Amino acid sequence: MSTITLRIELHKPTLAKQVMYQKMTEMNTEFANWLLLHPPINQATSKIFKEFSNENFPSAVVNQTIREVKSQKKNQNARTFRKIWCCFNNQNLKIEKNCAFYTVSFPTLEKRVGVPVVAKSFQVAWLNKIINGTVKQGAGKLYQKKKKWYFAIPITWNVESTQDEKIMGIDLGLRYLAVASIGTKSIFFKGSHVASSRRRYASRRRKLGQAKKRQAIKKSQDKESRWMKDQNHKISRQIVNHAISNGVGVIRMEDLTDIRNTAKSKKTDPGRNLHSWSFYQLKEFIQYKAEMVGIRFELVNPEYTSQTCKNGHQAKANRNGLKFRCKECGHTCHADLNGAINVGKAISGLAT
Ligand SMILES: [Zn+2]
């Protein structure tokens, strides 16, 4: 099960609407704080709102707030709420497409409203998936940031795995040969010693090349291949052991076919090409070691895995070397870790 949160901006809401959204947020917060002190919350239904106020507040929001307060109480971190944004479940928050425009409709203090949204190019595919039902829409939150109003809508989808199966995503790189993530937990496998050793082999061969010692060059190449193979065996063993000890059911890696077959890799990291055969070998080793112990192995499409943030924002400029910084929301992350998380989520689907 994979999740991302779409943050969709409402397109120029009128002042009257903005005032109403603000009022709804305030009422919702006051209601939540009233609920906290109201003892019989366990059997509470949306009717309880009548005891709090005579206003015509949408029962869809009331139900979500009751749920939120309940879970806060259960976790015993129930203090006064500073702000509780209004939430709407998928039956009450509808996303629709009218000609070229996308709209969201939801109940408010007055009536149900349908408002246009700003659908960024990278969000269109997700919005279409919500509309045609290939992804599941969670409860959407109406919130304000920097004078703009948004809906934060978590969406989840199944990539052919059972719901509670743990998934490990692996991203291969240079500085870190491999980064493996299981949910938010991650482990880095350093590649610096590999890079320096391979540089040594290369420089030795350059010298031999000048001396035209063809046999010696071949010998050095074979030696390097054996050394690299040994490294790949060790790293793949560590990765699969890590997967076993964490109860992982599925390991996902990028489909490297493109990297092998074309001169130019899709990744921004140009050094990848030089290492393509060893990456491919590492992938092979991880795959058979995983399958040997009954862990399923899946390849995912590599598109956008390095460019997409956890909120679904996608831009080439988000990745800069080892740093990932989303231009849209400012989310920062280690670039390889971000890649590994996206590989785990299979954000561009499984490779076929
Ligand atoms: Zn972002």
Side-chain angles (χ1 to χ4, degrees):
M1 193 79 128
S2 298
T3 305
I4 65 160
T5 304
L6 276 187
R7 294 177 191 278
I8 305 166
E9 186 189 334
L10 302 187
H11 182 67
K12 294 184 184 161
T14 60
L15 190 62
K17 282 221 174 79
Q18 293 189 49
V19 169
M20 182 170 68
Y21 299 158
Q22 194 65 52
K23 190 179 170 195
M24 283 170 72
T25 308
E26 282 161 16
M27 274 174 81
N28 194 40
T29 308
E30 278 171 34
F31 171 60
N33 284 324
W34 175 83
L35 258 186
L36 267 183
L37 305 170
H38 194 277
I41 186 177
N42 276 334
Q43 275 84 44
T45 65
S46 61
K47 285 184 190 128
I48 204 170
F49 192 86
K50 291 250 178 326
E51 296 176 33
F52 166 73
S53 157
N54 293 324
E55 289 267 359
N56 192 20
F57 199 67
S59 56
V61 177
V62 173
N63 283 327
Q64 289 295 128
T65 304
I66 290 172
R67 187 174 300 178
E68 170 74 20
V69 174
K70 268 186 196 169
S71 87
Q72 293 274 332
K73 261 197 163 171
K74 209 169 153 193
N75 299 328
Q76 302 194 318
N77 45 11
R79 291 189 207 102
T80 318
F81 295 108
R82 265 188 58 234
K83 193 174 273 180
I84 294 229
W85 301 109
C86 293
C87 282
F88 306 81
N89 69 9
N90 58 5
Q91 271 136 53
N92 291 284
L93 177 68
K94 290 263 181 255
I95 296 170
E96 276 151 0
K97 191 180 179 188
N98 298 319
C99 301
F101 300 100
Y102 291 88
T103 57
V104 289
S105 74
F106 53 98
T108 65
L109 294 177
E110 288 147 17
K111 56 180 172 35
R112 198 174 174 87
V113 294
V115 298
V117 298
V118 183
K120 300 260 172 71
S121 58
F122 60 84
Q123 294 176 326
V124 167
W126 293 115
L127 290 171
N128 289 339
K129 282 181 182 178
I130 293 176
I131 293 167
N132 68 27
T134 45
V135 297
K136 257 199 194 151
Q137 174 194 336
K141 184 174 78 179
L142 176 67
Y143 73 102
Q144 187 193 33
K145 195 180 176 187
K146 290 182 185 162
K147 294 182 181 163
K148 287 177 176 171
W149 284 89
Y150 298 86
F151 260 108
I153 306 173
I155 51 181
T156 55
W157 66 98
N158 254 338
V159 202
E160 290 164 20
S161 63
T162 55
Q163 288 196 6
D164 40 28
E165 211 165 29
K166 261 199 201 176
I167 297 167
M168 177 195 258
I170 300 172
D171 190 47
L172 303 182
L174 281 180
R175 228 72 60 87
Y176 291 95
L177 223 45
V179 178
S181 84
I182 307 167
T184 51
K185 277 207 302 188
S186 62
I187 176 165
F188 286 71
F189 297 91
K190 264 202 170 167
S192 52
H193 69 290
V194 171
S196 68
S197 175
R198 301 197 67 173
R199 268 198 302 277
R200 259 199 321 279
Y201 277 114
S203 93
R204 199 175 306 156
R205 282 202 292 274
R206 265 197 306 279
K207 278 176 203 152
L208 289 168
Q210 284 151 8
K212 291 200 170 61
K213 289 178 180 162
R214 211 171 289 166
Q215 255 196 328
I217 292 173
K218 178 80 174 58
K219 227 173 134 185
S220 162
Q221 273 166 349
D222 292 347
K223 199 174 165 195
E224 182 186 358
S225 299
R226 281 196 304 275
W227 182 83
M228 196 63 234
K229 191 176 176 183
D230 184 52
Q231 292 295 315
N232 280 340
H233 267 305
K234 283 179 182 154
I235 293 164
S236 56
R237 173 52 44 216
Q238 285 175 41
I239 289 176
V240 174
N241 283 350
H242 183 67
I244 296 168
S245 62
N246 282 279
V248 165
V250 187
I251 287 181
R252 289 199 180 130
M253 289 181 79
E254 285 175 319
D255 185 3
L256 300 173
T257 321
D258 279 347
I259 295 174
R260 258 180 103 214
N261 292 345
T262 59
K264 229 179 153 198
S265 114
K266 278 185 179 164
K267 290 275 177 170
T268 45
D269 203 339
R272 272 188 176 233
N273 295 317
L274 302 169
H275 298 254
S276 58
W277 70 263
S278 78
F279 278 144
Y280 190 78
Q281 187 178 60
L282 179 55
K283 177 233 129 195
E284 296 274 286
F285 289 176
I286 293 170
Q287 177 167 10
Y288 91 73
K289 288 186 172 98
E291 286 174 343
M292 237 162 48
V293 293
I295 295 175
R296 215 165 62 244
F297 184 87
E298 291 175 348
L299 288 176
V300 305
N301 289 325
E303 279 93 343
Y304 313 127
T305 50
S306 62
Q307 305 171 358
T308 305
C309 97
K310 64 170 182 179
N311 295 322
H313 303 134
Q314 179 245 320
K316 220 174 183 174
N318 284 351
R319 187 192 176 146
N320 187 0
L322 286 183
K323 263 202 205 128
F324 180 93
R325 188 173 188 286
C326 178
K327 301 285 177 212
E328 193 74 27
C329 69
H331 170 66
T332 59
C333 190
H334 188 288
D336 292 342
L337 172 58
N338 187 61
I341 292 169
N342 285 336
V343 169
K345 289 180 180 176
I347 57 161
S348 298
L350 296 181
T352 46

